[in-house]
Amino acid sequence: MRNVPVAEVDDLDRAVLAIGTNYPTDHLLVWHEHRRAQVLYAATGVMRVETTDGTWTIPTARAVLVPPRTRHQVAMTGVSTRSLYIEPAAVPWFPSRCQAVDVSALLRALILEAVEMEPRYAEPSRDAAVAALVLHELRTLTPLPLDVPLPSDPRLRGLCEAFLRQPDIHDPPARWCAALDISERTLARLFQRETGLSFSRWRQRACVLHSLQHLAAGTPVTRIAARLGYDNPAAYTAAFGKLLGRPPTAYRSP
């Protein structure tokens, strides 16, 4: 199926529904939720998925698992998606919060094939076998650290969201303390409690993940490093590799 709202087929008696959708450039899919679990795969472009507790930046050829009934919105840059909508009972292992994942060559081929299937595929049939193999392969997914946790404290969250729009690796904690009227020690405790990360680790993670959209657009590493405030490209590349285990060039769009 292509460019079909999931609401039109949600009640079909099939464990797996696959829908391919093309979106306009710089499209925002506003807050919504699904009854089914969703595997949201970026066939092209970069997606930024936001929930109440974090953001996930998903580059081309990766995916995010969205649990059932999870309110989320998706900002898209040049995105074409392939989504799997799965009955919750078929994936009891699904995470309780969104999870970015790598997508193997086999699973990618299965997702693309599933989109071409008739929604009411016969059981048993080749299409039913594809759906069953999809469910099997999903259990072998490799998680990726492509998320930035967001705090529930409204004042701190506001500062975090502003930072995500214009990240700077050297943004000093003193500026945040002044805005919140707290000490640096209190800021450190607040960040750890609200996000599970220290201020410096959260800042580093946010900068690296923000850079994914620029990599996908073909922006040179030297320019990305300068835009984020790194002292030199090597410092940016080292931070990128420490978080994601691969160099920035591995995340350029094919």
Side-chain angles (χ1 to χ4, degrees), residues 129-150:
V130 168
L133 188 52
V134 163
L135 293 174
H136 179 81
E137 287 301 306
L138 287 176
R139 300 200 66 149
T140 68
L141 291 170
T142 301
L144 295 173
L146 298 176
D147 65 301
V148 178
L150 289 174

PDB file of all heavy atoms in Angstrom, residues 129-150:
ATOM      1  N   ALA A 129       3.857 -15.418   4.421  1.00  0.00           N
ATOM      2  CA  ALA A 129       5.191 -15.860   4.817  1.00  0.00           C
ATOM      3  C   ALA A 129       6.134 -14.668   4.972  1.00  0.00           C
ATOM      4  O   ALA A 129       6.964 -14.635   5.883  1.00  0.00           O
ATOM      5  CB  ALA A 129       5.744 -16.850   3.791  1.00  0.00           C
ATOM      6  N   VAL A 130       6.000 -13.679   4.066  1.00  0.00           N
ATOM      7  CA  VAL A 130       6.803 -12.460   4.181  1.00  0.00           C
ATOM      8  C   VAL A 130       6.497 -11.754   5.507  1.00  0.00           C
ATOM      9  O   VAL A 130       7.404 -11.328   6.229  1.00  0.00           O
ATOM     10  CB  VAL A 130       6.548 -11.512   2.992  1.00  0.00           C
ATOM     11  CG1 VAL A 130       7.156 -10.127   3.253  1.00  0.00           C
ATOM     12  CG2 VAL A 130       7.122 -12.101   1.713  1.00  0.00           C
ATOM     13  N   ALA A 131       5.206 -11.641   5.831  1.00  0.00           N
ATOM     14  CA  ALA A 131       4.807 -10.989   7.079  1.00  0.00           C
ATOM     15  C   ALA A 131       5.373 -11.736   8.288  1.00  0.00           C
ATOM     16  O   ALA A 131       5.852 -11.125   9.253  1.00  0.00           O
ATOM     17  CB  ALA A 131       3.290 -10.900   7.168  1.00  0.00           C
ATOM     18  N   ALA A 132       5.331 -13.059   8.244  1.00  0.00           N
ATOM     19  CA  ALA A 132       5.859 -13.859   9.358  1.00  0.00           C
ATOM     20  C   ALA A 132       7.367 -13.674   9.493  1.00  0.00           C
ATOM     21  O   ALA A 132       7.896 -13.577  10.608  1.00  0.00           O
ATOM     22  CB  ALA A 132       5.516 -15.327   9.140  1.00  0.00           C
ATOM     23  N   LEU A 133       8.068 -13.604   8.352  1.00  0.00           N
ATOM     24  CA  LEU A 133       9.513 -13.416   8.389  1.00  0.00           C
ATOM     25  C   LEU A 133       9.873 -12.012   8.892  1.00  0.00           C
ATOM     26  O   LEU A 133      10.860 -11.828   9.603  1.00  0.00           O
ATOM     27  CB  LEU A 133      10.114 -13.659   7.006  1.00  0.00           C
ATOM     28  CG  LEU A 133      11.643 -13.697   6.917  1.00  0.00           C
ATOM     29  CD1 LEU A 133      12.237 -14.661   7.934  1.00  0.00           C
ATOM     30  CD2 LEU A 133      12.087 -14.075   5.499  1.00  0.00           C
ATOM     31  N   VAL A 134       9.040 -11.019   8.549  1.00  0.00           N
ATOM     32  CA  VAL A 134       9.231  -9.668   9.082  1.00  0.00           C
ATOM     33  C   VAL A 134       9.204  -9.710  10.606  1.00  0.00           C
ATOM     34  O   VAL A 134      10.088  -9.152  11.273  1.00  0.00           O
ATOM     35  CB  VAL A 134       8.154  -8.705   8.551  1.00  0.00           C
ATOM     36  CG1 VAL A 134       8.087  -7.446   9.401  1.00  0.00           C
ATOM     37  CG2 VAL A 134       8.431  -8.323   7.104  1.00  0.00           C
ATOM     38  N   LEU A 135       8.199 -10.363  11.166  1.00  0.00           N
ATOM     39  CA  LEU A 135       8.080 -10.438  12.624  1.00  0.00           C
ATOM     40  C   LEU A 135       9.284 -11.145  13.244  1.00  0.00           C
ATOM     41  O   LEU A 135       9.758 -10.753  14.316  1.00  0.00           O
ATOM     42  CB  LEU A 135       6.797 -11.165  13.005  1.00  0.00           C
ATOM     43  CG  LEU A 135       5.490 -10.436  12.666  1.00  0.00           C
ATOM     44  CD1 LEU A 135       4.287 -11.314  12.967  1.00  0.00           C
ATOM     45  CD2 LEU A 135       5.396  -9.125  13.434  1.00  0.00           C
ATOM     46  N   HIS A 136       9.789 -12.154  12.551  1.00  0.00           N
ATOM     47  CA  HIS A 136      10.965 -12.867  13.059  1.00  0.00           C
ATOM     48  C   HIS A 136      12.200 -11.961  13.039  1.00  0.00           C
ATOM     49  O   HIS A 136      12.938 -11.893  14.033  1.00  0.00           O
ATOM     50  CB  HIS A 136      11.220 -14.114  12.209  1.00  0.00           C
ATOM     51  CG  HIS A 136      12.417 -14.899  12.645  1.00  0.00           C
ATOM     52  ND1 HIS A 136      12.387 -15.786  13.691  1.00  0.00           N
ATOM     53  CD2 HIS A 136      13.702 -14.906  12.174  1.00  0.00           C
ATOM     54  CE1 HIS A 136      13.593 -16.314  13.864  1.00  0.00           C
ATOM     55  NE2 HIS A 136      14.408 -15.799  12.952  1.00  0.00           N
ATOM     56  N   GLU A 137      12.407 -11.253  11.928  1.00  0.00           N
ATOM     57  CA  GLU A 137      13.600 -10.415  11.784  1.00  0.00           C
ATOM     58  C   GLU A 137      13.575  -9.216  12.732  1.00  0.00           C
ATOM     59  O   GLU A 137      14.625  -8.745  13.157  1.00  0.00           O
ATOM     60  CB  GLU A 137      13.735  -9.945  10.332  1.00  0.00           C
ATOM     61  CG  GLU A 137      14.178 -11.023   9.380  1.00  0.00           C
ATOM     62  CD  GLU A 137      15.531 -11.610   9.775  1.00  0.00           C
ATOM     63  OE1 GLU A 137      16.496 -10.831   9.934  1.00  0.00           O
ATOM     64  OE2 GLU A 137      15.609 -12.840   9.952  1.00  0.00           O
ATOM     65  N   LEU A 138      12.406  -8.716  13.051  1.00  0.00           N
ATOM     66  CA  LEU A 138      12.319  -7.570  13.949  1.00  0.00           C
ATOM     67  C   LEU A 138      12.901  -7.879  15.322  1.00  0.00           C
ATOM     68  O   LEU A 138      13.378  -6.979  16.019  1.00  0.00           O
ATOM     69  CB  LEU A 138      10.862  -7.119  14.094  1.00  0.00           C
ATOM     70  CG  LEU A 138      10.247  -6.406  12.881  1.00  0.00           C
ATOM     71  CD1 LEU A 138       8.772  -6.112  13.136  1.00  0.00           C
ATOM     72  CD2 LEU A 138      10.995  -5.112  12.575  1.00  0.00           C
ATOM     73  N   ARG A 139      12.879  -9.136  15.705  1.00  0.00           N
ATOM     74  CA  ARG A 139      13.393  -9.503  17.035  1.00  0.00           C
ATOM     75  C   ARG A 139      14.916  -9.460  17.081  1.00  0.00           C
ATOM     76  O   ARG A 139      15.506  -9.560  18.159  1.00  0.00           O
ATOM     77  CB  ARG A 139      12.903 -10.892  17.428  1.00  0.00           C
ATOM     78  CG  ARG A 139      11.391 -10.986  17.495  1.00  0.00           C
ATOM     79  CD  ARG A 139      10.940 -12.155  18.323  1.00  0.00           C
ATOM     80  NE  ARG A 139      11.308 -12.002  19.723  1.00  0.00           N
ATOM     81  CZ  ARG A 139      10.608 -12.482  20.748  1.00  0.00           C
ATOM     82  NH1 ARG A 139       9.476 -13.118  20.514  1.00  0.00           N
ATOM     83  NH2 ARG A 139      11.005 -12.327  21.987  1.00  0.00           N
ATOM     84  N   THR A 140      15.570  -9.321  15.918  1.00  0.00           N
ATOM     85  CA  THR A 140      17.036  -9.328  15.885  1.00  0.00           C
ATOM     86  C   THR A 140      17.610  -7.924  15.693  1.00  0.00           C
ATOM     87  O   THR A 140      18.807  -7.775  15.449  1.00  0.00           O
ATOM     88  CB  THR A 140      17.551 -10.239  14.751  1.00  0.00           C
ATOM     89  OG1 THR A 140      17.229  -9.659  13.467  1.00  0.00           O
ATOM     90  CG2 THR A 140      16.920 -11.617  14.828  1.00  0.00           C
ATOM     91  N   LEU A 141      16.791  -6.893  15.816  1.00  0.00           N
ATOM     92  CA  LEU A 141      17.241  -5.526  15.555  1.00  0.00           C
ATOM     93  C   LEU A 141      18.326  -5.080  16.533  1.00  0.00           C
ATOM     94  O   LEU A 141      18.301  -5.429  17.713  1.00  0.00           O
ATOM     95  CB  LEU A 141      16.052  -4.565  15.644  1.00  0.00           C
ATOM     96  CG  LEU A 141      15.003  -4.679  14.529  1.00  0.00           C
ATOM     97  CD1 LEU A 141      13.779  -3.848  14.881  1.00  0.00           C
ATOM     98  CD2 LEU A 141      15.579  -4.222  13.201  1.00  0.00           C
ATOM     99  N   THR A 142      19.250  -4.278  16.018  1.00  0.00           N
ATOM    100  CA  THR A 142      20.313  -3.714  16.844  1.00  0.00           C
ATOM    101  C   THR A 142      19.938  -2.292  17.249  1.00  0.00           C
ATOM    102  O   THR A 142      19.761  -1.430  16.372  1.00  0.00           O
ATOM    103  CB  THR A 142      21.645  -3.680  16.080  1.00  0.00           C
ATOM    104  OG1 THR A 142      21.992  -5.012  15.683  1.00  0.00           O
ATOM    105  CG2 THR A 142      22.753  -3.085  16.932  1.00  0.00           C
ATOM    106  N   PRO A 143      19.812  -1.999  18.546  1.00  0.00           N
ATOM    107  CA  PRO A 143      19.484  -0.633  18.978  1.00  0.00           C
ATOM    108  C   PRO A 143      20.600   0.341  18.621  1.00  0.00           C
ATOM    109  O   PRO A 143      21.772  -0.019  18.576  1.00  0.00           O
ATOM    110  CB  PRO A 143      19.328  -0.771  20.500  1.00  0.00           C
ATOM    111  CG  PRO A 143      19.111  -2.225  20.742  1.00  0.00           C
ATOM    112  CD  PRO A 143      19.879  -2.935  19.678  1.00  0.00           C
ATOM    113  N   LEU A 144      20.216   1.591  18.363  1.00  0.00           N
ATOM    114  CA  LEU A 144      21.166   2.659  18.071  1.00  0.00           C
ATOM    115  C   LEU A 144      20.935   3.822  19.035  1.00  0.00           C
ATOM    116  O   LEU A 144      19.787   4.152  19.335  1.00  0.00           O
ATOM    117  CB  LEU A 144      20.994   3.158  16.632  1.00  0.00           C
ATOM    118  CG  LEU A 144      21.323   2.172  15.508  1.00  0.00           C
ATOM    119  CD1 LEU A 144      20.933   2.763  14.155  1.00  0.00           C
ATOM    120  CD2 LEU A 144      22.801   1.801  15.520  1.00  0.00           C
ATOM    121  N   PRO A 145      21.996   4.477  19.507  1.00  0.00           N
ATOM    122  CA  PRO A 145      21.845   5.595  20.450  1.00  0.00           C
ATOM    123  C   PRO A 145      21.528   6.904  19.732  1.00  0.00           C
ATOM    124  O   PRO A 145      22.304   7.852  19.757  1.00  0.00           O
ATOM    125  CB  PRO A 145      23.223   5.641  21.127  1.00  0.00           C
ATOM    126  CG  PRO A 145      24.170   5.187  20.059  1.00  0.00           C
ATOM    127  CD  PRO A 145      23.421   4.146  19.267  1.00  0.00           C
ATOM    128  N   LEU A 146      20.384   6.949  19.086  1.00  0.00           N
ATOM    129  CA  LEU A 146      20.008   8.114  18.286  1.00  0.00           C
ATOM    130  C   LEU A 146      18.959   8.984  18.988  1.00  0.00           C
ATOM    131  O   LEU A 146      18.267   9.764  18.338  1.00  0.00           O
ATOM    132  CB  LEU A 146      19.477   7.665  16.916  1.00  0.00           C
ATOM    133  CG  LEU A 146      20.475   6.908  16.038  1.00  0.00           C
ATOM    134  CD1 LEU A 146      19.797   6.434  14.749  1.00  0.00           C
ATOM    135  CD2 LEU A 146      21.690   7.757  15.723  1.00  0.00           C
ATOM    136  N   ASP A 147      18.869   8.853  20.304  1.00  0.00           N
ATOM    137  CA  ASP A 147      17.867   9.616  21.043  1.00  0.00           C
ATOM    138  C   ASP A 147      18.512  10.630  21.969  1.00  0.00           C
ATOM    139  O   ASP A 147      19.628  10.439  22.456  1.00  0.00           O
ATOM    140  CB  ASP A 147      16.968   8.686  21.853  1.00  0.00           C
ATOM    141  CG  ASP A 147      17.736   7.955  22.931  1.00  0.00           C
ATOM    142  OD1 ASP A 147      18.688   7.235  22.576  1.00  0.00           O
ATOM    143  OD2 ASP A 147      17.416   8.100  24.130  1.00  0.00           O
ATOM    144  N   VAL A 148      17.790  11.716  22.195  1.00  0.00           N
ATOM    145  CA  VAL A 148      18.164  12.726  23.189  1.00  0.00           C
ATOM    146  C   VAL A 148      17.014  12.798  24.186  1.00  0.00           C
ATOM    147  O   VAL A 148      15.917  13.246  23.838  1.00  0.00           O
ATOM    148  CB  VAL A 148      18.391  14.109  22.555  1.00  0.00           C
ATOM    149  CG1 VAL A 148      18.734  15.134  23.632  1.00  0.00           C
ATOM    150  CG2 VAL A 148      19.500  14.054  21.509  1.00  0.00           C
ATOM    151  N   PRO A 149      17.223  12.353  25.437  1.00  0.00           N
ATOM    152  CA  PRO A 149      16.140  12.408  26.424  1.00  0.00           C
ATOM    153  C   PRO A 149      15.786  13.849  26.769  1.00  0.00           C
ATOM    154  O   PRO A 149      16.649  14.722  26.816  1.00  0.00           O
ATOM    155  CB  PRO A 149      16.714  11.662  27.629  1.00  0.00           C
ATOM    156  CG  PRO A 149      18.192  11.722  27.457  1.00  0.00           C
ATOM    157  CD  PRO A 149      18.454  11.751  25.985  1.00  0.00           C
ATOM    158  N   LEU A 150      14.504  14.089  26.999  1.00  0.00           N
ATOM    159  CA  LEU A 150      14.020  15.415  27.366  1.00  0.00           C
ATOM    160  C   LEU A 150      13.442  15.383  28.778  1.00  0.00           C
ATOM    161  O   LEU A 150      12.760  14.421  29.152  1.00  0.00           O
ATOM    162  CB  LEU A 150      12.954  15.897  26.383  1.00  0.00           C
ATOM    163  CG  LEU A 150      13.444  16.270  24.981  1.00  0.00           C
ATOM    164  CD1 LEU A 150      12.271  16.587  24.072  1.00  0.00           C
ATOM    165  CD2 LEU A 150      14.403  17.445  25.039  1.00  0.00           C
TER     166      LEU A 150
END
